[in-house]
Amino acid sequence: MDNIKQKVSYLKGLMEGMEIKSDSKDGKIFGAIVGILEEVADEIEELHVAQEELEEYLEDMDEDLSDLEEEFYEEDEEEDFDPDEDYVEVVCSDCGDTVCFEADILDDEDLIEVTCPNCDAVVFINDEDLHEEKSEKEDL
Ligand SMILES: [Zn+2]
């Protein structure tokens, strides 16, 4: 930034050195150009300062967000270690793949069909019979 201002100052110095009269035709044009350059340099400097402030602000926000994320995911991890959470494995009768699903759906009121990710065959339906069979294990 100082660089542009230095160059404008240098240009002004050159003009004075060339003894261009400020009220001559050339002098008026050069004077106007230098004036515009000075304004542009000032505005760029202001923008630069404003941008630095914004960058600082964003960095602070980024740090705050990271802290929040850490807190959030720590809590989430604790939930994942819930010992009550159980998984059920079923072997697909069509392709023999083992299909894993959360035992939670056994307690679900809605009818849920678990399909094999390999061949799309239905490997499990949480209907009454299966529900009772599994609930014994869950009472432990
Ligand atoms: Zn299958």
Side-chain angles (χ1 to χ4, degrees):
M1 189 46 46
D2 288 342
N3 206 20
I4 291 176
K5 287 198 155 187
Q6 276 167 15
K7 283 177 184 168
V8 175
S9 295
Y10 176 69
L11 193 62
K12 261 179 128 177
L14 272 185
M15 268 180 63
E16 280 158 19
M18 286 169 79
E19 287 172 5
I20 295 172
K21 297 270 187 291
S22 61
D23 56 352
S24 70
K25 274 184 181 177
D26 288 349
K28 277 179 188 167
I29 290 168
F30 282 127
I33 290 170
V34 169
I36 290 166
L37 284 174
E38 280 179 323
E39 273 178 45
V40 168
D42 280 345
E43 283 204 24
I44 289 175
E45 190 173 36
E46 275 171 35
L47 273 173
H48 191 72
V49 170
Q51 199 200 332
E52 273 183 353
E53 278 172 13
L54 255 178
E55 273 171 17
E56 253 173 59
Y57 179 66
L58 268 177
E59 266 171 38
D60 286 349
M61 262 181 56
D62 195 41
E63 272 173 36
D64 288 349
L65 189 63
S66 294
D67 290 347
L68 274 174
E69 272 177 344
E70 258 171 51
E71 269 177 51
F72 180 79
Y73 286 117
E74 264 169 33
E75 278 172 30
D76 202 42
E77 267 170 38
E78 277 165 25
E79 275 174 31
D80 280 349
F81 291 129
D82 189 346
D84 291 339
E85 189 129 41
D86 209 358
Y87 285 89
V88 178
E89 275 186 10
V90 176
V91 176
C92 174
S93 56
D94 274 31
C95 69
D97 248 30
T98 304
V99 183
C100 223
F101 58 89
E102 283 174 35
D104 286 0
I105 71 161
L106 298 170
D107 298 322
D108 208 300
E109 301 268 310
D110 299 323
L111 185 73
I112 294 176
E113 287 184 354
V114 178
T115 54
C116 172
N118 195 36
C119 67
D120 275 345
V122 176
V123 292
F124 181 85
I125 302 171
N126 67 337
D127 63 15
E128 281 303 304
D129 294 341
L130 286 162
H131 193 275
E132 276 164 27
E133 202 180 294
K134 296 283 178 188
S135 60
E136 272 183 24
K137 192 184 159 195
E138 274 174 7
D139 288 341
L140 291 173

